[in-house]
Amino acid sequence: MAAAKKAVLGPLVGAVDQGTSSTRFLVFNSKTAELLSHHQVELKQKFPKEGWVEQDPKEILQSVYECIERTCEKLSQLNIDISAIKAIGVSNQRETTVVWDKYTGEPLYNAVVWLDLRTQGTVETLSKRIPGNNNFVKSKTGLPLSTYFSAVKLHWILENVRKVKKAVEEERALFGTIDSWLIWSLTGGPNGGVHCTDVTNASRTMLFNIHSLEWDVELCEFFEIPMTILPNIRSSSEIYGLMKISHSLKAGALEGVPLSGCLGDQSAALVGQMCFQDGQAKNTYGTGCFLLCNTGQKCVFSDHGLLTTVAYKLGRDKPVCYALEGSVAIAGAVVRWLRDNLGILKSSEEIEKLANEVGTSYGCYFVPAFSGLYAPYWEPSARGIICGLTQFTNKQHIAFAALEAVCFQTREILDAMNKDCGIPLSHLQVDGGMTNNKILMQLQADILCIPVVKPSMPETTALGAAMAAGAAEGVGVWSLDPEDLSAVTMERFEPQINEEESEFRYATWKKAVQKSMGWATGQPSANAGDPNIFCSVPLGFFIVTSMVMLIGARYISGVP
């Protein structure tokens, strides 16, 4: 019997979407932007000490290989010819810091994740060295000095990990955010791997001058980072190198395919949502929550706690575009916390069912400041609290309060964005895994008092990376001309409560936020001998957690 003929489609483009919680590989039709197939692998996070968050770079890389292989298998089962994949883009969790050996390809330390708090002491020490009348760090980078960004993580690693220090001295060490680690590995690793990053990821390191688009000598000296270990800076859309697939992969058909797109995940979502005009904005609901507003070729600095960042540079000869960004540390991560730490959810999807059963938090407010508060406060002393508990409170109310917390945090950064931009957004474009939760989307519209608009295909982060890869010079299979971009069908959520009720709930939330601040005292943690490590969870939070666990245990076991 003759073999079935492979389906002929327009040129295809693949996208690696490497996030904090999971890795995915997705394949799109470049002519229609249709998602043809994908595979996802959930990732482990390590918490070796209080406030520390790490991941295994090799596990991340292996998850990419697995996702590529499984997606290619699925395409074959759909009778789609894998050789039609003409380019691959990379989107990644930003700020997460990796150092590896360029000769062996071995990581020299675990990846220090963007959420990690171990550098709070480093931040406090460095802050004292910035002149009050000349904050050159913020003016050059658009960022506040914070544990969030890569420079302080790398500074800590160089000071505290002897193996890394030795590799730097012997000129064996390479540094990168996750995009650099993946591109280097996927283009050959020790055998000719390309050590590069793009302008969007570079702009999150705190070592990059967002005006000159280069590594900044003064910043590198300030953070004591040797420039020899830094990756080359490229645009977000150009051929960086060709895929060199491991011999163990069945997806050998991708050997030699150009890696030609690279965007930090939030910039990728901005591109995927096609926010190419000044004033267009999107909010992504992932592990954290990130609202970006395109400010065009103008660098706008915020007076209300937002970051100035590089949005994209879609070609070597194309202009750079900037964005204002509001960053929330904990969004989807609070759902994972309820599942893994408290056990009141069996799966992340169950939160929608629990919240729907009660339809209210019944006066319970949850501030998930597990890593301090990011925008608009930038308050590292804040810690998670649950307020307004009564004997009536149950796990359904806490689940509802957790979803409300995501929406309230988005309201705070949207308010700041509206003040900075001067023209309030008339609606909010949203994307990310959490947008599948209809209760969350309706809550968001209610709390913002404006419509929330969600694309029918929510994988806009991967789509943005695919668009950048397919549009690269030398690939040219994806047109970014507005007339050629596929129209996207949208689902719209209209506000269903009156504005007075929304404002009352928001005002109560802000009271809870104030109570979350000032918990981390700066006293050394009992289990850490490092002067950079600070005690970060208050007794009050342990008490609340104990109460929540007790409530959860009672309801899981069916005790009334």
Side-chain angles (χ1 to χ4, degrees):
M1 188 169 133
K5 192 175 178 182
K6 295 285 184 185
V8 178
L9 298 168
L12 310 183
V13 180
V16 174
D17 181 6
Q18 204 298 297
T20 317
S21 304
S22 68
T23 298
R24 290 175 294 175
F25 184 68
L26 306 92
V27 174
F28 298 90
N29 184 325
S30 67
K31 299 304 177 192
T32 63
E34 178 191 0
L35 174 60
L36 300 175
S37 187
H38 74 284
H39 188 78
Q40 179 170 345
V41 172
E42 189 167 314
L43 292 170
K44 293 175 189 155
Q45 292 182 24
K46 302 170 188 285
F47 306 97
K49 292 183 184 178
E50 178 54 48
W52 294 32
V53 189
E54 298 178 357
Q55 289 180 316
D56 180 352
K58 290 178 79 171
E59 183 193 343
I60 290 173
L61 180 60
Q62 189 53 45
S63 72
V64 171
Y65 285 139
E66 183 180 341
C67 287
I68 291 173
E69 183 170 1
R70 296 285 173 264
T71 303
C72 287
E73 287 174 357
K74 290 176 183 179
L75 288 171
S76 293
Q77 288 163 11
L78 292 168
N79 221 27
I80 295 171
D81 192 347
I82 297 166
S83 67
I85 298 174
K86 300 303 180 188
I88 293 169
V90 173
S91 165
N92 58 286
Q93 53 172 310
R94 306 169 301 170
E95 300 95 17
T96 296
T97 299
V98 188
V99 183
W100 67 93
D101 188 310
K102 66 182 176 183
Y103 296 120
T104 66
E106 289 294 311
L108 296 166
Y109 192 66
N110 273 339
V112 179
V113 176
W114 57 277
L115 285 165
D116 189 280
L117 284 177
R118 77 187 67 186
T119 55
Q120 187 51 46
T122 307
V123 168
E124 289 166 9
T125 301
L126 290 170
S127 293
K128 292 169 186 169
R129 291 169 44 195
I130 299 176
N133 60 349
N134 176 26
N135 188 342
F136 67 94
V137 174
K138 187 164 187 185
S139 64
K140 288 185 175 195
T141 66
L143 311 173
L145 190 56
S146 165
T147 59
Y148 182 16
F149 306 108
S150 310
V152 288
K153 301 179 193 300
L154 183 54
H155 177 94
W156 185 94
I157 291 170
L158 291 169
E159 277 203 332
N160 291 276
V161 183
R162 191 173 292 111
K163 198 173 175 184
V164 172
K165 202 181 298 186
K166 189 168 185 286
V168 170
E169 289 166 359
E170 295 173 358
E171 300 183 351
R172 292 184 287 111
L174 296 178
F175 152 77
T177 41
I178 295 295
D179 58 304
S180 297
W181 165 241
L182 294 181
I183 291 172
W184 184 83
S185 300
L186 293 171
T187 55
N191 301 312
V194 178
H195 187 216
C196 70
T197 189
D198 89 302
V199 289
T200 68
N201 282 294
S203 75
R204 312 299 292 191
T205 61
M206 217 172 229
L207 301 170
F208 177 77
N209 188 313
I210 60 174
H211 310 288
S212 67
L213 304 184
E214 295 175 337
W215 299 124
D216 190 280
V217 174
E218 184 182 16
L219 291 169
C220 290
E221 287 175 352
F222 177 73
F223 289 106
E224 299 175 321
I225 307 298
M227 297 183 77
T228 53
I229 69 173
L230 303 179
N232 293 318
I233 297 167
R234 311 279 283 272
S235 77
S236 310
S237 178
E238 62 179 271
I239 295 175
Y240 312 114
L242 306 181
M243 290 282 282
K244 291 184 181 175
I245 296 292
S246 161
H247 62 84
S248 64
L249 279 173
K250 296 171 187 172
L254 298 188
E255 185 86 22
V257 173
L259 264 168
S260 53
C262 179
L263 290 154
D265 51 10
Q266 304 314 319
S267 289
L270 195 73
V271 171
Q273 286 266 33
M274 299 169 201
C275 295
F276 294 125
Q277 302 299 315
D278 292 17
Q280 289 186 312
K282 66 87 207 173
N283 196 35
T284 298
Y285 299 76
T287 298
C289 209
F290 304 89
L291 179 58
L292 268 69
C293 180
N294 191 332
T295 62
Q297 295 177 47
K298 187 169 65 174
C299 231
V300 176
F301 283 84
S302 172
D303 294 320
H304 301 93
L306 304 180
L307 310 176
T308 304
T309 197
V310 174
Y312 50 80
K313 187 178 188 294
L314 295 173
R316 277 178 292 192
D317 302 322
K318 297 290 172 65
V320 66
C321 286
Y322 296 93
L324 275 174
E325 174 174 339
S327 311
V328 169
I330 304 294
V334 75
V335 181
R336 192 165 176 168
W337 183 81
L338 290 173
R339 184 193 72 184
D340 297 345
N341 291 38
L342 296 195
I344 67 174
L345 304 174
K346 293 190 179 73
S347 68
S348 297
E349 293 71 31
E350 192 183 348
I351 194 167
E352 184 174 8
K353 176 176 171 286
L354 287 182
N356 193 44
E357 285 171 4
V358 285
T360 175
S361 69
Y362 203 78
C364 172
Y365 287 84
F366 192 162
V367 183
F370 302 154
S371 297
L373 289 168
Y374 286 8
Y377 301 101
W378 298 104
E379 181 49 70
S381 73
R383 289 296 177 268
I385 63 169
I386 302 176
C387 302
L389 295 173
T390 70
Q391 285 182 308
F392 184 71
T393 308
N394 61 32
K395 66 178 181 179
Q396 283 94 337
H397 297 127
I398 290 166
F400 194 96
L403 294 183
E404 267 194 322
V406 175
C407 300
F408 287 132
Q409 290 179 106
T410 298
R411 166 76 186 265
E412 289 194 298
I413 55 177
L414 186 70
D415 284 358
M417 192 80 72
N418 286 340
K419 288 172 189 169
D420 278 323
C421 294
I423 304 170
L425 290 177
S426 59
H427 66 276
L428 182 66
Q429 290 179 230
V430 301
D431 59 73
M434 288 189 84
T435 61
N436 292 323
N437 185 324
K438 292 186 185 297
I439 297 287
L440 177 71
M441 293 295 94
Q442 187 56 57
L443 267 175
Q444 189 68 88
D446 291 345
I447 288 164
L448 296 180
C449 302
I450 59 173
V452 168
V453 180
K454 174 197 162 188
S456 56
M457 198 285 292
E459 303 293 354
T460 53
T461 300
L463 178 61
M467 290 166 67
E473 185 180 345
V475 178
V477 298
W478 205 308
S479 170
L480 297 183
D481 187 313
E483 293 179 4
D484 296 331
L485 293 171
S486 303
V488 179
T489 55
M490 298 285 189
E491 186 175 2
R492 192 176 176 94
F493 296 83
E494 299 283 348
Q496 291 183 355
I497 65 173
N498 63 50
E499 201 165 328
E500 290 76 17
E501 182 185 344
S502 177
E503 290 302 324
F504 174 78
R505 283 157 63 179
Y506 182 49
T508 311
W509 153 264
K510 290 184 83 74
K511 275 171 61 180
V513 170
Q514 292 304 315
K515 292 181 186 300
S516 77
M517 294 185 188
W519 283 104
T521 61
Q523 295 300 314
S525 173
N527 68 342
D530 191 302
N532 290 309
I533 315 308
F534 288 83
C535 180
S536 55
V537 175
L539 177 61
F541 186 65
F542 282 123
I543 293 169
V544 171
T545 302
S546 300
M547 291 173 70
V548 174
M549 291 179 79
L550 180 59
I551 293 165
R554 290 176 63 193
Y555 276 83
I556 289 167
S557 62
V559 178

